[in-house]
Amino acid sequence: MIIDQKMARALPPAAFDAAEVTRLTAAMGSPNYITAALNFAQPTTGASFISLFCQGDRDHPLLVDTACLLGQRRADRAAKGYERHSADDRNAAYLAGAEGNGDFLTVQHDDSIKSFTYRRDCYERPGISARISLIRRTPKFGLAVNLYSSIEDGPFTTAIHDAATSVLGVLLATSERHIAFSLRGNTWQGQDVQTRLAVNFPDLTNREREVAAMTIKGRTAAEIAEILGVAETTVITHRKRAYKRMNVSSLRELMATI
């Protein structure tokens, strides 16, 4: 089974236990958030895995965090598989804004994947049967919350799709705040420079943010031009515009913004 759809209506209504929501929100900005998110989702969806990805440098998905009730090694193995096969993953296109802005629901079962290596690395080796995701793409940010069922439990049934979508809606909202809190508090150890810029300077264009991120990482204009496949003068122009939008005038001031 494969489902790809833009959410044209409000997320399905659902009632959640106040104590569960409180535990989830209390964990925002802390290293315990991903576990709290999985614990929140599991009773309704039966999910055994969870992962958060956002748009990273060069528009490649960046892993925020992942967890698995059956062992962290399985979660890490799945995450590495998705990072390796992002070009084959429809979620990556939504994160990058290929289908415009909005919320997108995707459902994917292992037996519907045509690519052998993608199925092997992302599903068979970590022991995953299916994935259901909600991706939010805005002009400044892309975030995907993914829930996975294990091969032990089998794929998600269509009967729980509405309930799972409601759960994902809550997790999407709290995950946005979690990332913002973590970045500002510098507690997210896997932070990505371009994502930090997106949070703190939403007026930057994608290319300005890209150039600023690589500048912060120490790349010269010539190196950035080679990576992006543009002229060095074009990179310098984007850098000047980024500096102006960020109200900085030097690399030192730019470094201080993150």
Side-chain angles (χ1 to χ4, degrees), residues 12 25 35-36 48-49 68 89 117 146-147 162 165-166 169 173 181 189 197 199:
T25 56
T35 301
S48 297
F49 298 71
C68 176
D89 189 355
T117 54
N146 312 287
L147 298 174
D162 277 356
T165 303
S166 296
F181 291 156
Q189 296 303 310
L197 292 174
V199 171

Side-chain angles (χ1 to χ4, degrees), residues 16-258:
F16 298 103
D17 182 79
E20 293 177 355
V21 176
T22 298
R23 283 192 290 270
L24 176 65
T25 56
M28 292 189 305
S30 79
N32 299 324
Y33 173 77
I34 195 68
T35 301
L38 182 53
N39 289 337
F40 176 80
Q42 202 280 330
T44 302
T45 66
S48 297
F49 298 71
I50 188 172
S51 70
L52 304 179
F53 281 89
C54 67
Q55 179 193 6
D57 287 350
R58 298 293 289 121
D59 291 333
H60 291 306
L62 171 79
L63 176 67
V64 177
D65 211 344
T66 185
C68 176
L69 297 174
L70 305 173
Q72 189 60 32
R73 179 176 295 182
R74 287 175 67 168
D76 293 340
R77 184 177 295 165
K80 289 180 180 178
Y82 278 109
E83 290 180 318
R84 187 179 304 119
H85 296 283
S86 62
D88 299 314
D89 189 355
R90 183 64 174 161
N91 283 6
Y94 288 127
L95 277 173
E99 300 297 331
N101 297 326
D103 292 347
F104 302 88
L105 177 71
T106 69
V107 179
Q108 182 169 258
H109 290 187
D110 57 349
D111 59 7
S112 64
I113 300 171
K114 296 181 179 179
S115 169
F116 167 75
T117 54
Y118 176 34
R119 183 174 65 251
R120 178 197 64 197
D121 293 342
C122 300
Y123 285 78
E124 293 175 356
R125 284 181 172 172
I128 288 174
S129 179
R131 177 187 70 184
I132 182 167
S133 308
L134 192 61
I135 303 107
R136 175 164 294 163
R137 177 67 207 186
T138 74
K140 63 178 182 179
F141 198 67
L143 176 65
V145 181
N146 312 287
L147 298 174
Y148 310 83
S149 63
S150 68
I151 56 172
E152 291 89 342
D153 295 329
F156 298 114
T157 64
T158 55
I160 64 98
H161 281 185
D162 277 356
T165 303
S166 296
V167 168
L168 285 165
V170 173
L171 293 179
L172 196 60
T174 56
S175 296
E176 285 184 312
R177 300 308 303 155
H178 165 66
I179 291 173
F181 291 156
S182 298
L183 289 175
R184 289 168 184 162
N186 200 32
T187 60
W188 177 22
Q189 296 303 310
Q191 67 259 43
D192 174 83
V193 173
Q194 191 173 158
T195 304
R196 293 175 70 91
L197 292 174
V199 171
N200 295 324
F201 300 97
D203 292 335
L204 291 174
T205 66
N206 287 343
R207 186 47 59 90
E208 288 166 357
R209 188 169 63 243
E210 197 170 42
V211 168
M214 284 191 272
T215 300
I216 289 170
K217 291 180 178 181
R219 295 191 181 277
T220 66
E223 290 172 336
I224 296 172
E226 183 176 355
I227 292 170
L228 299 180
V230 299
E232 185 175 347
T233 53
T234 301
V235 171
I236 293 172
T237 297
H238 285 303
R239 188 170 62 193
K240 287 181 179 178
R241 290 175 179 170
Y243 277 25
K244 184 175 181 180
R245 292 185 198 273
M246 299 169 70
N247 195 30
V248 299
S249 58
S250 66
L251 177 59
R252 180 177 178 180
E253 291 180 0
L254 179 65
M255 295 290 290
T257 64
I258 62 164

